[in-house]
């Protein structure tokens, strides 16, 4: 599969263990290399365009002059959107609890932007999924934050963890997108790259 990529050394520009496991799951061999990137964005940009904007920004950190022709960089960024507000990664436990209270009993969007970047070509796309949470009580939120420490996750939750088992009552769209990488769409884009 993906024989068209055999000429590339693939780099995943992410420290996320979820990104790494999902990329392995579609059969890619890759190395990890990350760069520090300013993840700020203009308030004039639509909340649904932030994830692809940040993904492209991360890819552009690998300047074309330093990227050999046989290298491909894959970057991704995920945001959780509720009431037209982006929930990023929580700063601390209280921030995580507040985010989960905001998501409790509501439907929200999860948008992941992905960029595939080589010296010759750059493609950016995004996938949006809708997640509906059941009402979470304070004890459930406290248990999750204390035991799962969701500080590296947009919106303060991982759907593949305990909170997803007990709190998510529906997902419209890609489940793997909610985990942080829309594997089906990425695979299709890589097949055509």
């Amino acid at each position: 599969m993906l024989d068209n990529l055999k000429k590339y050394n693939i780099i995943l520009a992410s420290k996320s263990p979820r990104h790494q496991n999902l990329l392995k799951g579609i059969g890619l061999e890759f190395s990890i290399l990350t760069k520090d990137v300013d993840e700020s964005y203009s308030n004039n940009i639509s909340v649904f365009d932030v994830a692809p904007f940040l993904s492209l920004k991360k890819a552009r950190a690998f300047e074309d002059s330093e990227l050999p022709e046989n290298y491909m960089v894959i970057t991704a960024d995920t945001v959780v959107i509720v009431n037209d507000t982006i929930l990023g990664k929580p700063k601390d436990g209280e921030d995580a609890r507040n985010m989960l209270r905001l998501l409790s009993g509501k439907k929200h969007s999860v948008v992941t932007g992905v960029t595939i970047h080589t010296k010759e070509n750059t493609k950016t796309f995004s996938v949006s999924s809708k997640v509906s949470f059941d009402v979470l009580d304070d004890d459930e939120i406290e248990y999750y934050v204390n035991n799962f420490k969701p500080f590296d996750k947009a919106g303060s939750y991982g759907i593949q963890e305990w909170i997803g088992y007990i709190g998510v009552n529906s997902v419209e769209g890609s489940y793997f997108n909610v985990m942080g990488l829309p594997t089906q769409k990425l695979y299709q884009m890589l097949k055509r790259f």
Side-chain angles (χ1 to χ4, degrees):
M1 300 293 161
L2 298 176
D3 289 340
N4 59 316
L5 302 183
K6 287 191 176 182
K7 67 179 181 177
Y8 292 110
N9 292 305
I10 298 172
I11 296 170
L12 174 62
S14 173
K15 293 178 186 167
S16 164
R18 291 165 307 282
H19 288 167
Q20 294 166 27
N21 288 336
L22 290 169
L23 204 54
K24 282 179 194 163
I26 63 171
L28 285 184
E29 291 184 22
F30 55 90
S31 55
I32 308 290
L33 179 62
T34 60
K35 297 201 175 226
D36 288 329
V37 175
D38 169 24
E39 294 190 28
S40 63
Y41 52 88
S42 165
N43 290 334
N44 297 332
I45 189 170
S46 160
V47 291
F48 288 91
D49 293 333
V50 169
F53 172 81
L54 291 176
S55 172
L56 182 58
K57 202 173 187 184
K58 289 175 182 178
R60 287 194 172 141
F62 293 83
E63 292 297 327
D64 290 339
S65 60
E66 70 179 59
L67 192 64
E69 288 193 25
N70 63 332
Y71 276 74
M72 171 184 284
V73 177
I74 299 173
T75 60
D77 195 86
T78 301
V79 298
V80 170
I81 303 166
V82 63
N83 303 331
D84 286 329
T85 300
I86 290 179
L87 302 182
K89 295 174 184 170
K91 297 184 286 285
D92 54 29
E94 193 52 38
D95 197 25
R97 289 178 195 89
N98 288 336
M99 286 185 190
L100 290 169
R101 284 185 198 108
L102 191 59
L103 295 173
S104 174
K106 293 191 184 97
K107 187 180 274 193
H108 63 275
S109 296
V110 178
V111 180
T112 301
V114 179
T115 299
I116 304 165
H117 177 61
T118 66
K119 196 168 186 81
E120 312 86 36
N121 202 354
T122 301
K123 297 277 186 206
T124 298
F125 65 91
S126 67
V127 172
S128 180
S129 302
K130 291 194 183 307
V131 179
S132 179
F133 259 102
D134 204 356
V135 174
L136 302 169
D137 65 36
D138 282 342
D139 288 341
E140 291 164 338
I141 290 171
E142 193 68 29
Y143 174 82
Y144 179 68
V145 172
N146 289 339
N147 289 284
F148 291 86
K149 315 261 186 260
F151 308 118
D152 66 336
K153 296 173 179 73
S156 300
Y157 80 94
I159 194 169
Q160 71 282 5
E161 295 175 337
W162 182 82
I163 199 86
Y165 298 161
I166 65 100
V168 172
N169 58 37
S170 70
V171 177
E172 297 169 38
S174 169
Y175 172 85
F176 295 110
N177 180 56
V178 181
M179 280 181 67
L181 199 62
T183 52
Q184 185 275 335
K185 176 78 173 192
L186 176 58
Y187 181 80
Q188 294 303 320
M189 295 291 285
L190 289 169
K191 266 174 73 170
R192 296 192 298 267
F193 198 81

